[in-house]
């Protein structure tokens, strides 16, 4: 019989091999596609089920609340098979963990009730403790790693200290520091003295251990507004050029050398006059003042003290910054949170503070303070107003979502200074809460339940679907 040429046999074998490879690849691709489809389905199913569970539980709670049958206790599984615990409080919908009442947490801190530090972590709402801000701060913990950029940067800092009255004033940027410095230096005979950035001189055994230590703090939301306005102005393109007298030459150099992480906030605003026109439009300026419009900053004019008339452009830029800023990487001291500025950068524990006052009643508080030392404040002195200027963007145009994001960023100030949350942040589904536990030494510590770097920048927007 005739046999097939050897070359023909090799061609057929090669074709069969190639066909088998193609079939194998097709089977592999199909299998992979099916696997990915099932994986996406499973993820979607779990996510959808989770959302459904939250909504179902919310509906049940709403019904129970209407009928007066709401029980705010929950059993929490503890690690290592430990016995389950029941904690009572107000239920937080988001993660089904109870909020302890402020009085309960206060009683724990005052050792009136037992606290099991190995198995328990209490969760509570800011501003609910029956403690003064200074007492609350004394239990605070500012995580040295998370907040490392919020602590003072320079090794030495200067603060007003009155040797005559044995009084120390700790300054915090955007929290009445200019007013306080003026009162201390001009009324209470203080002088700017150098101390370590961690304020160790105020602690027992330190140089000023027997001095009274005071500071002023500010509502975190309004302070964040003011901080943004300050850094917006300070780092604007107009600051890159020093004025004729050279007084601000070093700052101009600093601005030029700074790699601004949010340069987009100056889009379409290249000069100071363009910035001023945004919050003080030329058509509202009286004719006699129009010729005095400055082309450079730091020159007061009619617009300087006028309430903002911006159309929403500045507010929209502010909101973009709020959602893109991570909350833990400030590039200027005015963005530093208040608590780290009062804390040790190595231990995260606070400096000794005798009394803490709110900037909301700054003048009244300073009147009371100086009266203790037989002094009085001068009447109608503009220096008592510090460097207060009207807001440049319009806070009324800031969305609820942006305000909630700010509450997340400033959670440590709300928790450790016992500030009440603004109404926009104190609602179901907006998770701004505090944690109380003990450290390895057995000392109580208060800190945010979730730190800024642990909270998604879009979480506030997502939560509105549940809130």
């Amino acid at each position: 019989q005739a046999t097939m040429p050897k070359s023909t046999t090799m061609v057929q074998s090669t074709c069969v091999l190639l066909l088998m490879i193609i079939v194998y690849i097709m089977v592999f691709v199909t299998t992979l596609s099916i696997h990915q489809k099932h994986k996406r389905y499973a993820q979607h199913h779990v996510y959808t089920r989770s959302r459904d569970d939250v909504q179902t539980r919310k509906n049940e709670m709403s019904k129970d609340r209407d009928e007066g049958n709401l029980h705010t206790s929950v059993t929490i599984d503890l690690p290592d098979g430990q016995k389950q615990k029941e904690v009572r409080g107000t239920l937080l919908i988001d993660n089904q963990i109870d909020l302890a009442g402020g009085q309960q947490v206060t009683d724990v801190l005052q050792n009136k009730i037992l606290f099991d530090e190995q198995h328990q972590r209490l969760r509570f709402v800011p501003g609910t403790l029956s403690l003064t801000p200074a007492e609350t701060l004394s239990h605070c913990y500012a995580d040295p790693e998370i907040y490392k950029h919020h602590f003072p940067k320079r090794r030495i800092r200067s603060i007003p200290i009155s040797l005559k009255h044995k009084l120390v004033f700790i300054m915090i940027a955007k929290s009445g520091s200019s007013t306080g410095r003026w009162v201390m230096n001009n009324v209470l005979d203080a002088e700017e003295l150098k101390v370590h950035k961690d304020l160790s001189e105020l602690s027992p055994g330190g140089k000023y251990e027997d001095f009274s230590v005071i500071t002023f703090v500010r509502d975190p939301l309004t302070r964040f507004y003011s901080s943004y306005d300050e850094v917006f102005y300070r780092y604007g393109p107009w600051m890159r050029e020093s004025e004729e007298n050279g007084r601000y030459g070093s700052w101009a150099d600093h601005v030029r050398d700074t790699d601004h992480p949010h340069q987009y906030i100056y889009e379409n605003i290249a000069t100071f006059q363009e910035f001023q026109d945004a919050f003080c439009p030329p058509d509202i300026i009286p004719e006699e003042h129009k010729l005095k419009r400055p082309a450079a900053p730091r020159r007061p004019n009619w617009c300087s003290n006028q309430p903002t008339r911006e159309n929403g452009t500045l507010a929209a830029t502010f909101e973009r910054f709020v959602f893109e800023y991570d909350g833990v990487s400030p590039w200027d001291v005015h963005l530093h949170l208040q608590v780290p500025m009062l804390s040790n950068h190595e231990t995260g524990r606070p400096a000794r503070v005798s009394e803490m006052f709110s900037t909301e009643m700054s003048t009244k508080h300073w009147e009371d303070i100086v009266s203790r030392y037989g002094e009085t404040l001068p009447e109608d002195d503009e220096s008592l107003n510090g460097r207060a200027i009207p807001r440049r963007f319009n806070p009324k145009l800031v969305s609820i979502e942006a305000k909630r994001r700010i509450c997340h960023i400033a959670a440590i100030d709300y928790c450790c200074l016992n500030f009440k949350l603004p109404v926009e942040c104190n609602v179901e589904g907006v998770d701004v809460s505090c944690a109380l536990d003990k450290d390895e030494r057995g000392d109580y510590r208060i800190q945010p339940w979730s730190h800024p770097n642990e909270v998604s920048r879009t979480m506030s927007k997502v939560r509105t679907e549940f809130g």
Side-chain angles (χ1 to χ4, degrees), residues 201-365:
E201 292 87 347
L202 310 181
S203 303
K207 185 176 182 180
Y208 306 111
E209 64 174 345
D210 59 341
F211 281 44
S212 294
V213 181
I214 63 173
T215 191
F216 276 68
V217 292
R218 186 175 182 179
D219 166 69
L221 179 61
T222 57
R223 180 176 180 269
F224 192 90
Y225 289 164
S226 182
S227 297
Y228 174 83
D229 262 349
E230 184 78 23
V231 297
F232 187 97
Y233 169 79
R234 281 173 169 262
Y235 289 85
W238 47 86
M239 288 294 193
R240 296 175 180 271
E241 301 297 329
S242 58
E243 295 185 358
E244 293 83 357
N245 59 13
R247 179 181 175 188
Y248 301 102
S250 60
W251 183 255
D253 292 340
H254 172 72
V255 174
R256 283 193 294 267
D257 294 340
T258 298
D259 185 13
H260 200 297
H262 299 274
Q263 193 61 43
Y264 59 82
I265 64 177
Y266 299 109
E267 290 178 358
N268 303 319
I269 297 180
T271 66
F272 179 75
Q273 189 161 301
E274 289 175 345
F275 171 45
Q276 183 171 273
D277 288 348
F279 65 82
C280 185
D283 58 354
I284 71 167
I285 302 176
E287 288 296 329
E288 62 271 25
H289 292 284
K290 286 186 176 181
L291 295 178
K292 300 178 182 180
R293 293 170 63 213
R298 303 186 182 94
R299 296 178 185 174
N301 63 96
W302 184 84
C303 288
S304 299
N305 296 311
Q306 295 298 314
T308 184
R309 304 292 183 86
E310 70 116 343
N311 61 8
T313 301
L314 296 179
T317 301
F318 169 73
E319 286 209 9
R320 179 180 174 185
F321 168 75
V322 168
F323 285 108
E324 295 197 14
Y325 175 52
D326 63 9
V328 295
S329 306
W331 69 95
D332 183 84
V333 67
H334 295 89
L335 285 171
H336 288 202
L337 296 169
Q338 297 172 97
V339 169
M341 295 296 290
L342 298 170
S343 304
N344 186 299
H345 79 289
E346 294 180 341
T347 66
R349 291 300 191 168
R352 181 177 65 87
V353 177
S354 309
E355 289 184 278
M356 193 175 290
F357 303 91
S358 171
T359 59
E360 290 186 8
M361 299 181 62
S362 177
T363 301
K364 177 64 171 61
H365 287 315

Side-chain angles (χ1 to χ4, degrees), residues 224 262 264 316-326 398-406 409 455-462:
F224 192 90
H262 299 274
Y264 59 82
T317 301
F318 169 73
E319 286 209 9
R320 179 180 174 185
F321 168 75
V322 168
F323 285 108
E324 295 197 14
Y325 175 52
D326 63 9
V398 176
S399 69
I400 292 177
E401 291 81 5
K403 292 178 182 178
R404 290 174 177 174
R405 170 61 186 157
I406 295 170
I409 292 173
V455 180
S456 169
R457 299 173 192 177
T458 58
M459 181 173 288
S460 295
K461 291 186 176 181
V462 173

Side-chain angles (χ1 to χ4, degrees), residues 49-196:
R49 183 179 61 187
S50 176
R51 288 179 50 136
D52 291 343
D53 288 345
V54 171
Q55 190 59 49
T56 299
R57 181 64 182 131
K58 285 188 65 175
N59 294 338
E60 291 174 352
M61 284 190 61
S62 297
K63 181 179 179 181
D64 289 341
R65 185 182 295 110
D66 294 339
E67 296 176 355
N69 298 322
L70 179 60
H71 300 287
T72 59
S73 63
V74 65
T75 300
I76 303 174
D77 290 326
L78 299 173
D80 303 326
Q82 298 293 335
K83 184 178 179 180
Q84 293 179 329
K85 291 184 177 293
E86 186 181 77
V87 184
R88 301 192 66 81
T90 303
L91 191 63
L92 182 70
I93 299 297
D94 275 353
N95 39 33
Q96 303 294 292
I97 297 178
D98 272 356
L99 287 168
Q103 189 58 52
Q104 177 189 354
V105 177
T106 302
D107 289 343
V108 168
L109 290 169
Q110 296 177 340
N111 296 313
K112 294 180 179 179
I113 60 177
L114 185 63
F115 180 84
D116 185 351
E117 65 269 21
Q118 291 184 344
H119 304 135
Q120 194 174 19
R121 191 178 186 221
L122 292 181
R123 185 175 192 147
F124 62 97
V125 174
T128 60
L129 302 183
S130 300
L131 299 173
T132 66
E135 290 172 332
T136 306
L137 176 69
S138 68
H139 299 292
C140 185
Y141 175 67
D143 190 297
E145 183 59 31
I146 295 174
Y147 298 101
K148 62 183 177 182
H149 298 301
H150 282 280
F151 294 100
K153 297 188 180 304
R154 296 179 179 176
R155 189 176 66 86
I156 300 297
R157 57 172 158 169
S158 298
I159 58 175
I161 299 178
S162 173
L163 301 177
K164 175 182 177 180
H165 299 298
K166 302 184 75 172
L167 181 66
V168 176
F169 172 58
I170 305 175
M171 297 184 296
I172 303 175
K174 308 313 298 179
S175 296
S177 58
S178 297
T179 297
R181 171 188 276 150
W182 188 90
V183 174
M184 288 291 294
N185 294 344
N186 293 276
V187 180
L188 294 173
D189 297 322
E191 52 187 312
E192 307 271 330
L193 298 178
K194 298 184 183 302
V195 296
H196 190 268

